[in-house]
Coordinates of all heavy atoms in Angstrom, one line a residue:
R22 N 7.1 -7.6 -4.5 CA 8.5 -7.2 -4.3 C 9.2 -8.3 -3.4 O 8.6 -8.9 -2.5 CB 8.6 -5.9 -3.5 CG 10.1 -5.5 -3.4 CD 10.3 -4.1 -2.9 NE 11.7 -3.8 -2.8 CZ 12.2 -2.8 -2.1 NH1 11.4 -2.0 -1.4 NH2 13.5 -2.6 -2.1
H23 N 10.5 -8.6 -3.8 CA 11.2 -9.6 -3.0 C 11.2 -9.3 -1.5 O 11.1 -8.2 -1.1 CB 12.6 -9.8 -3.6 CG 13.5 -8.6 -3.3 ND1 14.1 -8.3 -2.1 CD2 13.9 -7.6 -4.2 CE1 14.8 -7.2 -2.2 NE2 14.7 -6.7 -3.5
A24 N 11.4 -10.3 -0.8 CA 11.4 -10.2 0.7 C 12.8 -9.6 1.1 O 13.6 -9.3 0.3 CB 11.2 -11.6 1.3
I25 N 12.9 -9.5 2.4 CA 14.1 -8.8 3.0 C 15.4 -9.6 2.7 O 15.5 -10.8 2.9 CB 14.0 -8.8 4.6 CG1 12.8 -7.9 5.0 CG2 15.3 -8.2 5.2 CD1 12.4 -8.0 6.4
A26 N 16.3 -9.0 2.1 CA 17.6 -9.6 1.6 C 18.8 -9.1 2.4 O 18.7 -8.0 3.1 CB 17.8 -9.3 0.1
A27 N 19.9 -9.8 2.3 CA 21.1 -9.4 2.9 C 21.5 -8.0 2.3 O 21.2 -7.7 1.2 CB 22.2 -10.4 2.6
E28 N 22.2 -7.2 3.1 CA 22.6 -5.9 2.7 C 23.8 -6.0 1.7 O 24.6 -6.9 1.8 CB 23.1 -5.1 3.9 CG 22.0 -4.6 4.9 CD 21.0 -3.7 4.3 OE1 21.4 -2.8 3.4 OE2 19.8 -3.8 4.6
S29 N 23.8 -5.2 0.7 CA 24.9 -5.2 -0.2 C 26.1 -4.7 0.5 O 26.0 -3.9 1.4 CB 24.5 -4.4 -1.5 OG 24.2 -3.1 -1.2
G30 N 27.3 -5.1 0.0 CA 28.5 -4.6 0.6 C 29.6 -5.7 0.5 O 29.6 -6.5 -0.5
E31 N 30.5 -5.7 1.4 CA 31.7 -6.6 1.3 C 31.3 -8.0 1.3 O 31.9 -8.8 0.6 CB 32.6 -6.3 2.5 CG 33.4 -5.0 2.4 CD 34.3 -4.8 3.5 OE1 34.7 -5.7 4.2 OE2 34.7 -3.6 3.7
D32 N 30.3 -8.4 2.1 CA 29.8 -9.8 2.2 C 29.2 -10.3 0.8 O 29.2 -11.4 0.5 CB 28.8 -10.0 3.3 CG 29.4 -9.9 4.7 OD1 30.7 -10.0 4.7 OD2 28.7 -9.7 5.6
W33 N 28.6 -9.3 0.1 CA 27.9 -9.7 -1.1 C 28.3 -8.6 -2.2 O 27.5 -7.8 -2.6 CB 26.4 -9.7 -0.9 CG 26.0 -10.7 0.1 CD1 25.6 -10.4 1.4 CD2 26.0 -12.1 0.0 NE1 25.4 -11.6 2.1 CE2 25.6 -12.6 1.2 CE3 26.3 -12.9 -1.1 CZ2 25.5 -14.0 1.4 CZ3 26.1 -14.3 -0.8 CH2 25.8 -14.8 0.4
P34 N 29.5 -8.7 -2.7 CA 30.0 -7.8 -3.7 C 29.2 -8.0 -5.1 O 29.1 -7.0 -5.8 CB 31.5 -8.1 -3.9 CG 31.6 -9.5 -3.4 CD 30.6 -9.7 -2.3
D35 N 28.7 -9.2 -5.3 CA 27.9 -9.4 -6.5 C 26.4 -9.3 -6.2 O 25.9 -10.2 -5.5 CB 28.2 -10.8 -7.1 CG 27.5 -11.1 -8.4 OD1 26.6 -10.3 -8.7 OD2 27.8 -12.1 -9.0
D36 N 25.8 -8.2 -6.5 CA 24.4 -7.9 -6.1 C 23.5 -9.0 -6.6 O 22.4 -9.2 -6.0 CB 24.0 -6.6 -6.7 CG 22.7 -6.1 -6.1 OD1 22.5 -6.1 -4.9 OD2 21.8 -5.8 -6.9
T37 N 23.8 -9.7 -7.7 CA 22.9 -10.7 -8.3 C 22.8 -11.9 -7.3 O 21.8 -12.7 -7.5 CB 23.3 -11.1 -9.6 OG1 24.6 -11.8 -9.5 CG2 23.4 -10.0 -10.6
K38 N 23.7 -12.1 -6.4 CA 23.8 -13.3 -5.6 C 23.4 -13.0 -4.1 O 23.5 -13.9 -3.3 CB 25.1 -13.9 -5.6 CG 25.4 -14.4 -7.0 CD 26.8 -15.0 -7.1 CE 26.9 -15.5 -8.5 NZ 28.3 -15.9 -8.9
R39 N 22.9 -11.8 -3.8 CA 22.4 -11.5 -2.5 C 21.2 -12.3 -2.1 O 20.2 -12.2 -2.8 CB 22.1 -10.0 -2.3 CG 23.3 -9.1 -2.1 CD 22.9 -7.7 -1.6 NE 22.0 -7.0 -2.4 CZ 20.9 -6.5 -2.0 NH1 20.4 -6.6 -0.8 NH2 20.1 -5.8 -2.9
P40 N 21.3 -13.1 -1.1 CA 20.1 -14.0 -0.7 C 19.2 -13.2 0.3 O 19.5 -12.2 0.8 CB 20.9 -15.1 0.0 CG 22.0 -14.4 0.7 CD 22.5 -13.4 -0.2
L41 N 18.1 -13.9 0.4 CA 17.1 -13.4 1.5 C 17.8 -13.7 2.8 O 18.5 -14.7 3.0 CB 15.8 -14.2 1.4 CG 15.0 -14.0 0.1 CD1 13.7 -14.8 0.2 CD2 14.7 -12.5 -0.1
T42 N 17.4 -13.0 3.9 CA 17.9 -13.3 5.2 C 16.9 -14.3 5.8 O 15.8 -14.6 5.2 CB 17.8 -12.0 6.1 OG1 16.4 -11.6 6.2 CG2 18.7 -10.9 5.5
H43 N 17.3 -14.9 6.9 CA 16.4 -15.9 7.6 C 15.1 -15.2 8.0 O 14.0 -15.8 7.8 CB 17.1 -16.5 8.8 CG 18.3 -17.4 8.4 ND1 18.1 -18.6 7.7 CD2 19.6 -17.3 8.6 CE1 19.2 -19.2 7.5 NE2 20.2 -18.5 8.0
R44 N 15.2 -14.0 8.4 CA 14.0 -13.2 8.8 C 13.2 -12.9 7.6 O 12.0 -13.1 7.7 CB 14.5 -11.9 9.5 CG 13.4 -11.1 9.9 CD 13.9 -9.8 10.7 NE 12.8 -9.0 11.1 CZ 12.7 -7.7 11.0 NH1 13.8 -7.1 10.4 NH2 11.7 -7.0 11.4
G45 N 13.8 -12.6 6.5 CA 13.1 -12.3 5.3 C 12.4 -13.6 4.8 O 11.2 -13.5 4.3
M46 N 13.0 -14.7 4.9 CA 12.3 -16.0 4.4 C 11.1 -16.3 5.4 O 10.0 -16.6 4.9 CB 13.3 -17.1 4.5 CG 14.3 -17.1 3.3 SD 15.3 -18.5 3.1 CE 16.6 -18.1 4.3
A47 N 11.3 -16.1 6.7 CA 10.3 -16.4 7.6 C 9.1 -15.5 7.4 O 7.9 -15.9 7.4 CB 10.8 -16.3 9.1
R48 N 9.4 -14.2 7.2 CA 8.3 -13.2 7.0 C 7.6 -13.5 5.7 O 6.4 -13.3 5.6 CB 8.8 -11.8 7.1 CG 9.1 -11.4 8.6 CD 9.5 -10.0 8.7 NE 9.4 -9.6 10.1 CZ 9.2 -8.4 10.4 NH1 9.1 -7.4 9.6 NH2 9.1 -8.1 11.7
M49 N 8.3 -13.9 4.7 CA 7.6 -14.1 3.4 C 6.7 -15.3 3.5 O 5.6 -15.3 3.0 CB 8.7 -14.3 2.3 CG 8.1 -14.3 0.9 SD 7.3 -12.7 0.5 CE 6.2 -13.2 -0.7
R50 N 7.2 -16.4 4.2 CA 6.3 -17.5 4.4 C 5.0 -17.1 5.1 O 3.9 -17.6 4.7 CB 7.0 -18.6 5.2 CG 8.0 -19.4 4.5 CD 8.6 -20.6 5.3 NE 9.7 -21.1 4.6 CZ 11.0 -20.8 5.0 NH1 11.3 -20.0 5.9 NH2 12.0 -21.3 4.3
E51 N 5.1 -16.2 6.1 CA 3.9 -15.7 6.8 C 3.0 -14.9 5.9 O 1.8 -15.0 5.9 CB 4.3 -14.9 8.0 CG 5.0 -15.7 9.1 CD 5.6 -14.8 10.2 OE1 5.5 -13.6 10.1 OE2 6.2 -15.4 11.1
A52 N 3.6 -14.1 5.0 CA 2.9 -13.3 4.1 C 2.2 -14.2 3.1 O 1.0 -13.9 2.7 CB 3.8 -12.3 3.4
V53 N 2.8 -15.2 2.6 CA 2.2 -16.2 1.7 C 1.0 -16.8 2.3 O 0.0 -17.1 1.7 CB 3.2 -17.2 1.1 CG1 2.5 -18.3 0.3 CG2 4.3 -16.5 0.3
S54 N 1.1 -17.1 3.6 CA -0.1 -17.6 4.4 C -1.3 -16.7 4.3 O -2.4 -17.1 4.1 CB 0.2 -17.9 5.8 OG 1.2 -19.0 5.9
G55 N -1.0 -15.4 4.3 CA -2.0 -14.4 4.2 C -2.6 -14.4 2.7 O -3.8 -14.3 2.6
L56 N -1.8 -14.6 1.7 CA -2.3 -14.7 0.4 C -3.1 -15.9 0.2 O -4.2 -15.9 -0.4 CB -1.1 -14.7 -0.6 CG -0.3 -13.5 -0.8 CD1 0.9 -13.7 -1.6 CD2 -1.1 -12.3 -1.3
E57 N -2.7 -17.0 0.8 CA -3.5 -18.2 0.8 C -4.9 -18.0 1.5 O -5.9 -18.4 1.0 CB -2.8 -19.4 1.5 CG -3.4 -20.7 1.5 CD -3.3 -21.5 0.2 OE1 -2.6 -21.0 -0.7 OE2 -4.0 -22.5 0.1

Side-chain angles (χ1 to χ4, degrees):
R22 184 173 180 197
H23 68 78
I25 301 166
E28 292 294 325
S29 56
E31 289 180 20
D32 291 341
W33 302 104
D35 183 349
D36 188 56
T37 65
K38 295 181 178 165
R39 277 194 305 125
L41 297 180
T42 63
H43 291 294
R44 181 175 181 227
M46 286 187 275
R48 285 189 163 202
M49 191 64 203
R50 283 187 193 97
E51 292 170 0
V53 172
S54 293
L56 292 172
E57 183 78 9

